[in-house]
Amino acid sequence: MGDRRTAKDGDRRLGRRALFVGGTAAVLGTAALAREELGRLWWRLPGIDKPRVAGAVDFPGARWVAASPANLRRADRPDDYRIDRVIIHVTQGGYRSAVNVFQDPGHGAAAHYIVSADGHVTQMVRELDVAFHAGNREYNERSVGIEHEGFVEDASSFTDAMYEASALLTAAICGRYGIPVDRGHIIGHVEVPGTDHTDPGPHWDWARYLRLVRAARTAPVKPQRSA
């Protein structure tokens, strides 16, 4: 499950850097630089926010349950942060307990999605936002996190329905952001620098999972069943 939030995950405020960039761009006449930086920073200005549809999901058929705002950072990905990896987690508990802790502002962590043992997908953080799930700020900013119901030490946690639903989800994410379907870009939480987590653990079948993701990337898109 996602690590608790640390200071390095905190919001980046509009301040001296933005003013410096804007001033430098104006002095040097680098309009392209100014546009790029302002594109990253405009939504952080007081009273400005990207338009959002309440309850909207990024994956068809997913159920929306909002995580606590304390467990994420509002963003405008991939415009402000490129998304180039998917991180696989295991909840070390049941589906309901994962939902509950991600809704708890004191927990300090949440993933974008949870996949249940019976193959239902719940989205708790929009992909455009930074979820605190990896315990590493850079990885949080550039990834989508997917939790899977179960326990790393219990091979029976990873059901056929879970593998298939998760593979369809990851395939959709990879297609949306141009992420290669390989082990360099679809990784486990254990592979995030600085983490002390071991998920998804030795029973997660990476060969099977990548095979399913690749197959889903080439198959016609079908809406998933709702929970």
Side-chain angles (χ1 to χ4, degrees), residues 195-217:
T195 187
D196 59 357
H197 285 233
T198 62
D199 52 319
H203 299 298
W204 183 262
D205 191 337
W206 281 108
R208 176 186 182 185
Y209 188 64
L210 290 180
R211 185 168 62 250
L212 288 170
V213 175
R214 292 188 182 107
R217 286 281 287 119

Side-chain angles (χ1 to χ4, degrees), residues 59-208:
F59 183 66
R63 174 192 180 204
W64 173 257
V65 179
S68 168
N71 299 332
L72 59 99
R73 183 178 352 129
R74 290 177 78 92
D76 185 24
R77 304 191 310 167
D79 291 337
D80 49 1
Y81 305 108
R82 177 186 176 192
I83 299 175
D84 61 8
R85 57 179 67 93
V86 175
I87 300 179
I88 303 299
H89 302 261
V90 174
T91 62
Q92 288 300 96
Y95 162 80
R96 177 49 57 186
S97 65
V99 170
N100 289 341
V101 296
F102 290 167
Q103 291 182 309
D104 177 5
H107 181 63
H112 293 90
Y113 294 96
I114 304 174
V115 181
S116 68
D118 60 4
H120 289 115
V121 177
T122 297
Q123 183 168 7
M124 300 195 68
V125 181
R126 289 290 305 278
E127 290 176 15
L128 56 80
D129 290 329
V130 176
F132 302 146
H133 65 98
N136 178 305
R137 179 168 181 162
E138 179 185 0
Y139 276 63
N140 284 342
E141 290 172 344
R142 300 181 62 170
S143 67
V144 173
I146 305 175
E147 288 278 1
H148 297 81
E149 178 184 11
F151 299 87
V152 296
E153 65 273 16
D154 182 2
S156 67
S157 295
F158 309 131
T159 64
D160 292 344
M162 174 184 287
Y163 273 120
E164 292 167 5
S166 180
L168 288 171
L169 172 59
T170 293
I173 295 167
C174 290
R176 191 154 36 249
Y177 304 109
I179 302 173
V181 180
D182 59 38
R183 286 288 284 114
H185 296 85
I186 303 173
I187 66 173
H189 193 179
V190 65
E191 297 169 82
V192 175
T195 187
D196 59 357
H197 285 233
T198 62
D199 52 319
H203 299 298
W204 183 262
D205 191 337
W206 281 108
R208 176 186 182 185

Side-chain angles (χ1 to χ4, degrees), residues 7-20:
K8 63 186 177 182
D9 284 324
D11 288 347
R12 295 197 296 186
R13 303 296 184 185
L14 181 65
R16 294 179 61 189
R17 180 173 182 272
L19 295 175
F20 173 78

